[in-house]
Amino acid sequence: MRALAGVLIVIAVSTAPVASAQVHVGRNVEGGLPWSVAAPQGASWSLVCRFAPVTYEASRFDPRHWTNRIATTGNGAARGRLPHQDGRCTVTKTGGPGPVAIALVKDGAVQAAATDDPARPAAVGFL
């Protein structure tokens, strides 16, 4: 029983920094890094972005909803912002003609990557 208590204490201590690392962004879920997907010939794509954990106000009944990822699909061009000032994004071509590209901007620095192969996603990130 004493060994179990020791293990639980170690787990509690090791997970505490993770919980305190979350940033509460309130309703401003698009206040971080801007991202942009380009598909000049109208190709379809899927986008997955990961970032440091944040909590946000999803509704008045859920004022501290947790996330560390967004996922969306589209075709042609699209833009948005991550909720935090770090992150990495991967875009995968899912169909249609032409390439797809992803770009992230942080403090004037741009990272961009492109692909025309559905088996090889393009990825960028600032961590």
Side-chain angles (χ1 to χ4, degrees), residues 31-70:
L33 296 178
W35 59 265
S36 180
V37 172
Q41 296 173 7
S44 59
W45 46 265
S46 67
L47 175 72
V48 175
C49 295
R50 295 189 178 274
F51 39 85
V54 298
T55 57
Y56 65 97
E57 187 176 338
S59 71
R60 70 180 197 190
F61 304 108
D62 188 4
R64 290 257 188 209
H65 195 83
W66 181 90
T67 188
N68 69 343
R69 173 182 178 272
I70 61 167

PDB file of all heavy atoms in Angstrom, residues 31-70:
ATOM      1  N   GLY A  31      -5.901  34.345 -31.411  1.00  0.00           N
ATOM      2  CA  GLY A  31      -5.003  35.437 -31.083  1.00  0.00           C
ATOM      3  C   GLY A  31      -3.536  35.116 -31.261  1.00  0.00           C
ATOM      4  O   GLY A  31      -2.685  35.908 -30.879  1.00  0.00           O
ATOM      5  N   GLY A  32      -3.216  33.967 -31.824  1.00  0.00           N
ATOM      6  CA  GLY A  32      -1.826  33.545 -31.934  1.00  0.00           C
ATOM      7  C   GLY A  32      -1.288  33.601 -33.352  1.00  0.00           C
ATOM      8  O   GLY A  32      -1.592  34.513 -34.114  1.00  0.00           O
ATOM      9  N   LEU A  33      -0.488  32.610 -33.684  1.00  0.00           N
ATOM     10  CA  LEU A  33       0.196  32.573 -34.983  1.00  0.00           C
ATOM     11  C   LEU A  33      -0.785  32.504 -36.151  1.00  0.00           C
ATOM     12  O   LEU A  33      -1.695  31.681 -36.149  1.00  0.00           O
ATOM     13  CB  LEU A  33       1.093  31.337 -35.069  1.00  0.00           C
ATOM     14  CG  LEU A  33       2.261  31.231 -34.122  1.00  0.00           C
ATOM     15  CD1 LEU A  33       2.990  29.908 -34.342  1.00  0.00           C
ATOM     16  CD2 LEU A  33       3.207  32.394 -34.306  1.00  0.00           C
ATOM     17  N   PRO A  34      -0.576  33.333 -37.180  1.00  0.00           N
ATOM     18  CA  PRO A  34      -1.400  33.211 -38.377  1.00  0.00           C
ATOM     19  C   PRO A  34      -0.905  32.054 -39.252  1.00  0.00           C
ATOM     20  O   PRO A  34       0.292  31.837 -39.387  1.00  0.00           O
ATOM     21  CB  PRO A  34      -1.212  34.555 -39.089  1.00  0.00           C
ATOM     22  CG  PRO A  34       0.023  35.136 -38.541  1.00  0.00           C
ATOM     23  CD  PRO A  34       0.266  34.526 -37.200  1.00  0.00           C
ATOM     24  N   TRP A  35      -1.860  31.311 -39.823  1.00  0.00           N
ATOM     25  CA  TRP A  35      -1.536  30.258 -40.774  1.00  0.00           C
ATOM     26  C   TRP A  35      -2.275  30.535 -42.073  1.00  0.00           C
ATOM     27  O   TRP A  35      -3.299  31.225 -42.094  1.00  0.00           O
ATOM     28  CB  TRP A  35      -1.888  28.858 -40.252  1.00  0.00           C
ATOM     29  CG  TRP A  35      -3.325  28.627 -39.895  1.00  0.00           C
ATOM     30  CD1 TRP A  35      -3.879  28.740 -38.658  1.00  0.00           C
ATOM     31  CD2 TRP A  35      -4.404  28.271 -40.778  1.00  0.00           C
ATOM     32  NE1 TRP A  35      -5.220  28.456 -38.709  1.00  0.00           N
ATOM     33  CE2 TRP A  35      -5.565  28.160 -39.999  1.00  0.00           C
ATOM     34  CE3 TRP A  35      -4.499  28.023 -42.143  1.00  0.00           C
ATOM     35  CZ2 TRP A  35      -6.804  27.818 -40.545  1.00  0.00           C
ATOM     36  CZ3 TRP A  35      -5.728  27.687 -42.683  1.00  0.00           C
ATOM     37  CH2 TRP A  35      -6.865  27.591 -41.896  1.00  0.00           C
ATOM     38  N   SER A  36      -1.731  30.012 -43.148  1.00  0.00           N
ATOM     39  CA  SER A  36      -2.354  30.187 -44.456  1.00  0.00           C
ATOM     40  C   SER A  36      -2.109  28.942 -45.296  1.00  0.00           C
ATOM     41  O   SER A  36      -0.982  28.455 -45.373  1.00  0.00           O
ATOM     42  CB  SER A  36      -1.762  31.407 -45.159  1.00  0.00           C
ATOM     43  OG  SER A  36      -2.363  31.595 -46.425  1.00  0.00           O
ATOM     44  N   VAL A  37      -3.165  28.438 -45.897  1.00  0.00           N
ATOM     45  CA  VAL A  37      -3.064  27.322 -46.832  1.00  0.00           C
ATOM     46  C   VAL A  37      -3.320  27.878 -48.221  1.00  0.00           C
ATOM     47  O   VAL A  37      -4.254  28.639 -48.433  1.00  0.00           O
ATOM     48  CB  VAL A  37      -4.081  26.203 -46.514  1.00  0.00           C
ATOM     49  CG1 VAL A  37      -4.087  25.143 -47.609  1.00  0.00           C
ATOM     50  CG2 VAL A  37      -3.787  25.574 -45.172  1.00  0.00           C
ATOM     51  N   ALA A  38      -2.468  27.484 -49.168  1.00  0.00           N
ATOM     52  CA  ALA A  38      -2.647  27.874 -50.561  1.00  0.00           C
ATOM     53  C   ALA A  38      -2.812  26.622 -51.407  1.00  0.00           C
ATOM     54  O   ALA A  38      -2.121  25.626 -51.189  1.00  0.00           O
ATOM     55  CB  ALA A  38      -1.433  28.673 -51.051  1.00  0.00           C
ATOM     56  N   ALA A  39      -3.742  26.682 -52.339  1.00  0.00           N
ATOM     57  CA  ALA A  39      -3.954  25.617 -53.322  1.00  0.00           C
ATOM     58  C   ALA A  39      -4.388  26.312 -54.603  1.00  0.00           C
ATOM     59  O   ALA A  39      -5.575  26.403 -54.904  1.00  0.00           O
ATOM     60  CB  ALA A  39      -4.989  24.623 -52.829  1.00  0.00           C
ATOM     61  N   PRO A  40      -3.419  26.852 -55.364  1.00  0.00           N
ATOM     62  CA  PRO A  40      -3.736  27.738 -56.481  1.00  0.00           C
ATOM     63  C   PRO A  40      -4.609  27.125 -57.576  1.00  0.00           C
ATOM     64  O   PRO A  40      -5.298  27.853 -58.283  1.00  0.00           O
ATOM     65  CB  PRO A  40      -2.367  28.145 -57.028  1.00  0.00           C
ATOM     66  CG  PRO A  40      -1.375  27.252 -56.397  1.00  0.00           C
ATOM     67  CD  PRO A  40      -1.987  26.668 -55.189  1.00  0.00           C
ATOM     68  N   GLN A  41      -4.602  25.803 -57.701  1.00  0.00           N
ATOM     69  CA  GLN A  41      -5.451  25.172 -58.718  1.00  0.00           C
ATOM     70  C   GLN A  41      -6.691  24.534 -58.103  1.00  0.00           C
ATOM     71  O   GLN A  41      -7.393  23.774 -58.760  1.00  0.00           O
ATOM     72  CB  GLN A  41      -4.633  24.149 -59.506  1.00  0.00           C
ATOM     73  CG  GLN A  41      -3.515  24.798 -60.295  1.00  0.00           C
ATOM     74  CD  GLN A  41      -2.591  23.784 -60.951  1.00  0.00           C
ATOM     75  OE1 GLN A  41      -2.852  22.585 -60.925  1.00  0.00           O
ATOM     76  NE2 GLN A  41      -1.515  24.274 -61.543  1.00  0.00           N
ATOM     77  N   GLY A  42      -6.960  24.829 -56.839  1.00  0.00           N
ATOM     78  CA  GLY A  42      -8.180  24.381 -56.189  1.00  0.00           C
ATOM     79  C   GLY A  42      -8.139  22.999 -55.564  1.00  0.00           C
ATOM     80  O   GLY A  42      -9.178  22.407 -55.294  1.00  0.00           O
ATOM     81  N   ALA A  43      -6.948  22.459 -55.317  1.00  0.00           N
ATOM     82  CA  ALA A  43      -6.852  21.134 -54.702  1.00  0.00           C
ATOM     83  C   ALA A  43      -7.518  21.120 -53.336  1.00  0.00           C
ATOM     84  O   ALA A  43      -7.579  22.131 -52.645  1.00  0.00           O
ATOM     85  CB  ALA A  43      -5.382  20.727 -54.570  1.00  0.00           C
ATOM     86  N   SER A  44      -8.009  19.958 -52.938  1.00  0.00           N
ATOM     87  CA  SER A  44      -8.566  19.809 -51.599  1.00  0.00           C
ATOM     88  C   SER A  44      -7.463  19.350 -50.649  1.00  0.00           C
ATOM     89  O   SER A  44      -6.472  18.751 -51.067  1.00  0.00           O
ATOM     90  CB  SER A  44      -9.728  18.814 -51.602  1.00  0.00           C
ATOM     91  OG  SER A  44      -9.313  17.554 -52.072  1.00  0.00           O
ATOM     92  N   TRP A  45      -7.644  19.649 -49.355  1.00  0.00           N
ATOM     93  CA  TRP A  45      -6.594  19.401 -48.371  1.00  0.00           C
ATOM     94  C   TRP A  45      -7.187  19.188 -46.990  1.00  0.00           C
ATOM     95  O   TRP A  45      -8.345  19.517 -46.738  1.00  0.00           O
ATOM     96  CB  TRP A  45      -5.598  20.563 -48.338  1.00  0.00           C
ATOM     97  CG  TRP A  45      -6.263  21.917 -48.315  1.00  0.00           C
ATOM     98  CD1 TRP A  45      -6.523  22.712 -49.394  1.00  0.00           C
ATOM     99  CD2 TRP A  45      -6.793  22.610 -47.180  1.00  0.00           C
ATOM    100  NE1 TRP A  45      -7.175  23.862 -48.990  1.00  0.00           N
ATOM    101  CE2 TRP A  45      -7.347  23.819 -47.628  1.00  0.00           C
ATOM    102  CE3 TRP A  45      -6.845  22.334 -45.827  1.00  0.00           C
ATOM    103  CZ2 TRP A  45      -7.943  24.746 -46.782  1.00  0.00           C
ATOM    104  CZ3 TRP A  45      -7.450  23.243 -44.966  1.00  0.00           C
ATOM    105  CH2 TRP A  45      -7.980  24.434 -45.455  1.00  0.00           C
ATOM    106  N   SER A  46      -6.365  18.643 -46.108  1.00  0.00           N
ATOM    107  CA  SER A  46      -6.701  18.579 -44.688  1.00  0.00           C
ATOM    108  C   SER A  46      -5.551  19.215 -43.926  1.00  0.00           C
ATOM    109  O   SER A  46      -4.391  19.056 -44.291  1.00  0.00           O
ATOM    110  CB  SER A  46      -6.952  17.146 -44.221  1.00  0.00           C
ATOM    111  OG  SER A  46      -5.767  16.398 -44.275  1.00  0.00           O
ATOM    112  N   LEU A  47      -5.885  19.934 -42.878  1.00  0.00           N
ATOM    113  CA  LEU A  47      -4.901  20.657 -42.081  1.00  0.00           C
ATOM    114  C   LEU A  47      -5.029  20.228 -40.625  1.00  0.00           C
ATOM    115  O   LEU A  47      -6.131  20.172 -40.084  1.00  0.00           O
ATOM    116  CB  LEU A  47      -5.146  22.170 -42.178  1.00  0.00           C
ATOM    117  CG  LEU A  47      -4.265  23.065 -41.313  1.00  0.00           C
ATOM    118  CD1 LEU A  47      -2.842  23.104 -41.846  1.00  0.00           C
ATOM    119  CD2 LEU A  47      -4.845  24.465 -41.239  1.00  0.00           C
ATOM    120  N   VAL A  48      -3.896  19.921 -40.008  1.00  0.00           N
ATOM    121  CA  VAL A  48      -3.848  19.613 -38.579  1.00  0.00           C
ATOM    122  C   VAL A  48      -2.770  20.497 -37.965  1.00  0.00           C
ATOM    123  O   VAL A  48      -1.627  20.487 -38.418  1.00  0.00           O
ATOM    124  CB  VAL A  48      -3.539  18.126 -38.312  1.00  0.00           C
ATOM    125  CG1 VAL A  48      -3.380  17.877 -36.826  1.00  0.00           C
ATOM    126  CG2 VAL A  48      -4.621  17.244 -38.901  1.00  0.00           C
ATOM    127  N   CYS A  49      -3.137  21.276 -36.957  1.00  0.00           N
ATOM    128  CA  CYS A  49      -2.180  22.117 -36.242  1.00  0.00           C
ATOM    129  C   CYS A  49      -2.194  21.723 -34.769  1.00  0.00           C
ATOM    130  O   CYS A  49      -3.251  21.533 -34.183  1.00  0.00           O
ATOM    131  CB  CYS A  49      -2.539  23.597 -36.366  1.00  0.00           C
ATOM    132  SG  CYS A  49      -2.435  24.235 -38.038  1.00  0.00           S
ATOM    133  N   ARG A  50      -1.012  21.641 -34.196  1.00  0.00           N
ATOM    134  CA  ARG A  50      -0.854  21.338 -32.769  1.00  0.00           C
ATOM    135  C   ARG A  50      -0.113  22.506 -32.120  1.00  0.00           C
ATOM    136  O   ARG A  50       0.719  23.146 -32.759  1.00  0.00           O
ATOM    137  CB  ARG A  50      -0.080  20.045 -32.584  1.00  0.00           C
ATOM    138  CG  ARG A  50      -0.842  18.849 -33.128  1.00  0.00           C
ATOM    139  CD  ARG A  50      -0.172  17.558 -32.741  1.00  0.00           C
ATOM    140  NE  ARG A  50      -0.908  16.421 -33.203  1.00  0.00           N
ATOM    141  CZ  ARG A  50      -1.921  15.841 -32.564  1.00  0.00           C
ATOM    142  NH1 ARG A  50      -2.320  16.302 -31.411  1.00  0.00           N
ATOM    143  NH2 ARG A  50      -2.542  14.804 -33.058  1.00  0.00           N
ATOM    144  N   PHE A  51      -0.432  22.741 -30.844  1.00  0.00           N
ATOM    145  CA  PHE A  51       0.157  23.868 -30.126  1.00  0.00           C
ATOM    146  C   PHE A  51       0.136  23.556 -28.643  1.00  0.00           C
ATOM    147  O   PHE A  51      -0.470  22.565 -28.211  1.00  0.00           O
ATOM    148  CB  PHE A  51      -0.612  25.168 -30.419  1.00  0.00           C
ATOM    149  CG  PHE A  51      -2.101  24.974 -30.488  1.00  0.00           C
ATOM    150  CD1 PHE A  51      -2.872  25.002 -29.338  1.00  0.00           C
ATOM    151  CD2 PHE A  51      -2.724  24.740 -31.703  1.00  0.00           C
ATOM    152  CE1 PHE A  51      -4.239  24.816 -29.395  1.00  0.00           C
ATOM    153  CE2 PHE A  51      -4.095  24.541 -31.769  1.00  0.00           C
ATOM    154  CZ  PHE A  51      -4.856  24.580 -30.615  1.00  0.00           C
ATOM    155  N   ALA A  52       0.806  24.397 -27.867  1.00  0.00           N
ATOM    156  CA  ALA A  52       0.806  24.219 -26.410  1.00  0.00           C
ATOM    157  C   ALA A  52      -0.638  24.254 -25.921  1.00  0.00           C
ATOM    158  O   ALA A  52      -1.463  24.992 -26.458  1.00  0.00           O
ATOM    159  CB  ALA A  52       1.623  25.318 -25.746  1.00  0.00           C
ATOM    160  N   PRO A  53      -0.971  23.480 -24.905  1.00  0.00           N
ATOM    161  CA  PRO A  53      -2.354  23.419 -24.428  1.00  0.00           C
ATOM    162  C   PRO A  53      -2.891  24.779 -23.995  1.00  0.00           C
ATOM    163  O   PRO A  53      -2.196  25.553 -23.345  1.00  0.00           O
ATOM    164  CB  PRO A  53      -2.283  22.479 -23.228  1.00  0.00           C
ATOM    165  CG  PRO A  53      -1.031  21.705 -23.408  1.00  0.00           C
ATOM    166  CD  PRO A  53      -0.089  22.598 -24.151  1.00  0.00           C
ATOM    167  N   VAL A  54      -4.127  25.039 -24.395  1.00  0.00           N
ATOM    168  CA  VAL A  54      -4.831  26.247 -23.978  1.00  0.00           C
ATOM    169  C   VAL A  54      -6.206  25.857 -23.473  1.00  0.00           C
ATOM    170  O   VAL A  54      -6.750  24.814 -23.829  1.00  0.00           O
ATOM    171  CB  VAL A  54      -4.985  27.276 -25.129  1.00  0.00           C
ATOM    172  CG1 VAL A  54      -3.646  27.756 -25.626  1.00  0.00           C
ATOM    173  CG2 VAL A  54      -5.810  26.724 -26.271  1.00  0.00           C
ATOM    174  N   THR A  55      -6.760  26.703 -22.628  1.00  0.00           N
ATOM    175  CA  THR A  55      -8.167  26.587 -22.266  1.00  0.00           C
ATOM    176  C   THR A  55      -8.858  27.820 -22.830  1.00  0.00           C
ATOM    177  O   THR A  55      -8.263  28.891 -22.937  1.00  0.00           O
ATOM    178  CB  THR A  55      -8.378  26.495 -20.743  1.00  0.00           C
ATOM    179  OG1 THR A  55      -7.799  27.636 -20.123  1.00  0.00           O
ATOM    180  CG2 THR A  55      -7.762  25.226 -20.185  1.00  0.00           C
ATOM    181  N   TYR A  56     -10.115  27.649 -23.226  1.00  0.00           N
ATOM    182  CA  TYR A  56     -10.870  28.767 -23.791  1.00  0.00           C
ATOM    183  C   TYR A  56     -12.330  28.644 -23.376  1.00  0.00           C
ATOM    184  O   TYR A  56     -12.782  27.603 -22.911  1.00  0.00           O
ATOM    185  CB  TYR A  56     -10.734  28.813 -25.311  1.00  0.00           C
ATOM    186  CG  TYR A  56     -11.339  27.620 -26.023  1.00  0.00           C
ATOM    187  CD1 TYR A  56     -12.618  27.683 -26.555  1.00  0.00           C
ATOM    188  CD2 TYR A  56     -10.631  26.437 -26.167  1.00  0.00           C
ATOM    189  CE1 TYR A  56     -13.181  26.602 -27.200  1.00  0.00           C
ATOM    190  CE2 TYR A  56     -11.176  25.349 -26.817  1.00  0.00           C
ATOM    191  CZ  TYR A  56     -12.455  25.437 -27.328  1.00  0.00           C
ATOM    192  OH  TYR A  56     -13.009  24.352 -27.964  1.00  0.00           O
ATOM    193  N   GLU A  57     -13.065  29.721 -23.545  1.00  0.00           N
ATOM    194  CA  GLU A  57     -14.470  29.740 -23.185  1.00  0.00           C
ATOM    195  C   GLU A  57     -15.289  29.252 -24.378  1.00  0.00           C
ATOM    196  O   GLU A  57     -15.570  30.014 -25.309  1.00  0.00           O
ATOM    197  CB  GLU A  57     -14.893  31.149 -22.776  1.00  0.00           C
ATOM    198  CG  GLU A  57     -16.289  31.210 -22.244  1.00  0.00           C
ATOM    199  CD  GLU A  57     -16.678  32.585 -21.742  1.00  0.00           C
ATOM    200  OE1 GLU A  57     -15.782  33.379 -21.413  1.00  0.00           O
ATOM    201  OE2 GLU A  57     -17.886  32.851 -21.680  1.00  0.00           O
ATOM    202  N   ALA A  58     -15.659  27.966 -24.350  1.00  0.00           N
ATOM    203  CA  ALA A  58     -16.450  27.389 -25.439  1.00  0.00           C
ATOM    204  C   ALA A  58     -17.900  27.873 -25.376  1.00  0.00           C
ATOM    205  O   ALA A  58     -18.539  28.073 -26.404  1.00  0.00           O
ATOM    206  CB  ALA A  58     -16.393  25.872 -25.380  1.00  0.00           C
ATOM    207  N   SER A  59     -18.412  28.043 -24.168  1.00  0.00           N
ATOM    208  CA  SER A  59     -19.750  28.576 -23.941  1.00  0.00           C
ATOM    209  C   SER A  59     -19.815  29.032 -22.488  1.00  0.00           C
ATOM    210  O   SER A  59     -18.895  28.779 -21.714  1.00  0.00           O
ATOM    211  CB  SER A  59     -20.822  27.504 -24.195  1.00  0.00           C
ATOM    212  OG  SER A  59     -20.795  26.532 -23.167  1.00  0.00           O
ATOM    213  N   ARG A  60     -20.906  29.658 -22.114  1.00  0.00           N
ATOM    214  CA  ARG A  60     -21.005  30.084 -20.720  1.00  0.00           C
ATOM    215  C   ARG A  60     -21.108  28.894 -19.779  1.00  0.00           C
ATOM    216  O   ARG A  60     -20.839  28.995 -18.595  1.00  0.00           O
ATOM    217  CB  ARG A  60     -22.159  31.045 -20.522  1.00  0.00           C
ATOM    218  CG  ARG A  60     -23.498  30.416 -20.650  1.00  0.00           C
ATOM    219  CD  ARG A  60     -24.567  31.437 -20.437  1.00  0.00           C
ATOM    220  NE  ARG A  60     -25.819  30.729 -20.158  1.00  0.00           N
ATOM    221  CZ  ARG A  60     -26.970  31.295 -20.111  1.00  0.00           C
ATOM    222  NH1 ARG A  60     -27.065  32.596 -20.294  1.00  0.00           N
ATOM    223  NH2 ARG A  60     -28.042  30.593 -19.865  1.00  0.00           N
ATOM    224  N   PHE A  61     -21.483  27.737 -20.328  1.00  0.00           N
ATOM    225  CA  PHE A  61     -21.561  26.514 -19.527  1.00  0.00           C
ATOM    226  C   PHE A  61     -20.241  25.741 -19.514  1.00  0.00           C
ATOM    227  O   PHE A  61     -20.082  24.807 -18.744  1.00  0.00           O
ATOM    228  CB  PHE A  61     -22.687  25.611 -20.048  1.00  0.00           C
ATOM    229  CG  PHE A  61     -24.007  26.311 -20.089  1.00  0.00           C
ATOM    230  CD1 PHE A  61     -24.570  26.678 -21.291  1.00  0.00           C
ATOM    231  CD2 PHE A  61     -24.681  26.626 -18.917  1.00  0.00           C
ATOM    232  CE1 PHE A  61     -25.786  27.336 -21.333  1.00  0.00           C
ATOM    233  CE2 PHE A  61     -25.892  27.284 -18.941  1.00  0.00           C
ATOM    234  CZ  PHE A  61     -26.445  27.640 -20.155  1.00  0.00           C
ATOM    235  N   ASP A  62     -19.335  26.101 -20.412  1.00  0.00           N
ATOM    236  CA  ASP A  62     -18.032  25.424 -20.523  1.00  0.00           C
ATOM    237  C   ASP A  62     -16.941  26.491 -20.613  1.00  0.00           C
ATOM    238  O   ASP A  62     -16.363  26.716 -21.667  1.00  0.00           O
ATOM    239  CB  ASP A  62     -18.032  24.524 -21.759  1.00  0.00           C
ATOM    240  CG  ASP A  62     -16.810  23.639 -21.855  1.00  0.00           C
ATOM    241  OD1 ASP A  62     -15.976  23.641 -20.925  1.00  0.00           O
ATOM    242  OD2 ASP A  62     -16.666  22.928 -22.876  1.00  0.00           O
ATOM    243  N   PRO A  63     -16.659  27.204 -19.493  1.00  0.00           N
ATOM    244  CA  PRO A  63     -15.736  28.344 -19.540  1.00  0.00           C
ATOM    245  C   PRO A  63     -14.258  27.968 -19.601  1.00  0.00           C
ATOM    246  O   PRO A  63     -13.424  28.835 -19.822  1.00  0.00           O
ATOM    247  CB  PRO A  63     -16.043  29.087 -18.249  1.00  0.00           C
ATOM    248  CG  PRO A  63     -16.517  28.026 -17.323  1.00  0.00           C
ATOM    249  CD  PRO A  63     -17.259  27.037 -18.186  1.00  0.00           C
ATOM    250  N   ARG A  64     -13.908  26.712 -19.428  1.00  0.00           N
ATOM    251  CA  ARG A  64     -12.504  26.295 -19.443  1.00  0.00           C
ATOM    252  C   ARG A  64     -12.328  25.025 -20.275  1.00  0.00           C
ATOM    253  O   ARG A  64     -11.837  24.020 -19.809  1.00  0.00           O
ATOM    254  CB  ARG A  64     -12.002  26.039 -18.014  1.00  0.00           C
ATOM    255  CG  ARG A  64     -11.868  27.295 -17.212  1.00  0.00           C
ATOM    256  CD  ARG A  64     -10.435  27.671 -17.140  1.00  0.00           C
ATOM    257  NE  ARG A  64     -10.230  28.768 -16.215  1.00  0.00           N
ATOM    258  CZ  ARG A  64      -9.264  29.624 -16.364  1.00  0.00           C
ATOM    259  NH1 ARG A  64      -8.414  29.508 -17.332  1.00  0.00           N
ATOM    260  NH2 ARG A  64      -9.122  30.601 -15.505  1.00  0.00           N
ATOM    261  N   HIS A  65     -12.739  25.088 -21.535  1.00  0.00           N
ATOM    262  CA  HIS A  65     -12.571  23.952 -22.440  1.00  0.00           C
ATOM    263  C   HIS A  65     -11.102  23.859 -22.841  1.00  0.00           C
ATOM    264  O   HIS A  65     -10.470  24.874 -23.097  1.00  0.00           O
ATOM    265  CB  HIS A  65     -13.453  24.128 -23.673  1.00  0.00           C
ATOM    266  CG  HIS A  65     -13.621  22.884 -24.465  1.00  0.00           C
ATOM    267  ND1 HIS A  65     -14.545  21.936 -24.136  1.00  0.00           N
ATOM    268  CD2 HIS A  65     -12.972  22.432 -25.555  1.00  0.00           C
ATOM    269  CE1 HIS A  65     -14.476  20.941 -25.000  1.00  0.00           C
ATOM    270  NE2 HIS A  65     -13.522  21.218 -25.866  1.00  0.00           N
ATOM    271  N   TRP A  66     -10.561  22.657 -22.915  1.00  0.00           N
ATOM    272  CA  TRP A  66      -9.134  22.427 -23.155  1.00  0.00           C
ATOM    273  C   TRP A  66      -8.898  21.949 -24.581  1.00  0.00           C
ATOM    274  O   TRP A  66      -9.667  21.157 -25.114  1.00  0.00           O
ATOM    275  CB  TRP A  66      -8.642  21.358 -22.185  1.00  0.00           C
ATOM    276  CG  TRP A  66      -7.206  21.012 -22.286  1.00  0.00           C
ATOM    277  CD1 TRP A  66      -6.187  21.599 -21.612  1.00  0.00           C
ATOM    278  CD2 TRP A  66      -6.603  19.999 -23.089  1.00  0.00           C
ATOM    279  NE1 TRP A  66      -4.995  20.996 -21.945  1.00  0.00           N
ATOM    280  CE2 TRP A  66      -5.228  20.009 -22.861  1.00  0.00           C
ATOM    281  CE3 TRP A  66      -7.109  19.071 -23.999  1.00  0.00           C
ATOM    282  CZ2 TRP A  66      -4.339  19.152 -23.492  1.00  0.00           C
ATOM    283  CZ3 TRP A  66      -6.232  18.221 -24.641  1.00  0.00           C
ATOM    284  CH2 TRP A  66      -4.862  18.269 -24.373  1.00  0.00           C
ATOM    285  N   THR A  67      -7.825  22.421 -25.217  1.00  0.00           N
ATOM    286  CA  THR A  67      -7.437  21.915 -26.532  1.00  0.00           C
ATOM    287  C   THR A  67      -5.945  22.135 -26.749  1.00  0.00           C
ATOM    288  O   THR A  67      -5.337  23.012 -26.149  1.00  0.00           O
ATOM    289  CB  THR A  67      -8.231  22.577 -27.673  1.00  0.00           C
ATOM    290  OG1 THR A  67      -7.943  21.903 -28.903  1.00  0.00           O
ATOM    291  CG2 THR A  67      -7.886  24.049 -27.821  1.00  0.00           C
ATOM    292  N   ASN A  68      -5.375  21.335 -27.627  1.00  0.00           N
ATOM    293  CA  ASN A  68      -3.997  21.530 -28.081  1.00  0.00           C
ATOM    294  C   ASN A  68      -3.885  21.213 -29.564  1.00  0.00           C
ATOM    295  O   ASN A  68      -2.800  20.992 -30.075  1.00  0.00           O
ATOM    296  CB  ASN A  68      -3.010  20.680 -27.270  1.00  0.00           C
ATOM    297  CG  ASN A  68      -3.159  19.198 -27.533  1.00  0.00           C
ATOM    298  OD1 ASN A  68      -4.175  18.746 -28.063  1.00  0.00           O
ATOM    299  ND2 ASN A  68      -2.159  18.438 -27.160  1.00  0.00           N
ATOM    300  N   ARG A  69      -5.041  21.226 -30.273  1.00  0.00           N
ATOM    301  CA  ARG A  69      -5.041  20.825 -31.677  1.00  0.00           C
ATOM    302  C   ARG A  69      -6.254  21.404 -32.390  1.00  0.00           C
ATOM    303  O   ARG A  69      -7.333  21.486 -31.811  1.00  0.00           O
ATOM    304  CB  ARG A  69      -5.095  19.302 -31.705  1.00  0.00           C
ATOM    305  CG  ARG A  69      -5.272  18.649 -33.003  1.00  0.00           C
ATOM    306  CD  ARG A  69      -5.353  17.122 -32.752  1.00  0.00           C
ATOM    307  NE  ARG A  69      -5.579  16.407 -33.964  1.00  0.00           N
ATOM    308  CZ  ARG A  69      -6.767  16.134 -34.473  1.00  0.00           C
ATOM    309  NH1 ARG A  69      -7.850  16.505 -33.861  1.00  0.00           N
ATOM    310  NH2 ARG A  69      -6.877  15.482 -35.599  1.00  0.00           N
ATOM    311  N   ILE A  70      -6.052  21.783 -33.651  1.00  0.00           N
ATOM    312  CA  ILE A  70      -7.179  22.085 -34.526  1.00  0.00           C
ATOM    313  C   ILE A  70      -7.030  21.213 -35.768  1.00  0.00           C
ATOM    314  O   ILE A  70      -5.912  20.862 -36.171  1.00  0.00           O
ATOM    315  CB  ILE A  70      -7.269  23.573 -34.934  1.00  0.00           C
ATOM    316  CG1 ILE A  70      -6.034  24.017 -35.704  1.00  0.00           C
ATOM    317  CG2 ILE A  70      -7.524  24.454 -33.750  1.00  0.00           C
ATOM    318  CD1 ILE A  70      -6.218  25.364 -36.395  1.00  0.00           C
TER     319      ILE A  70
END
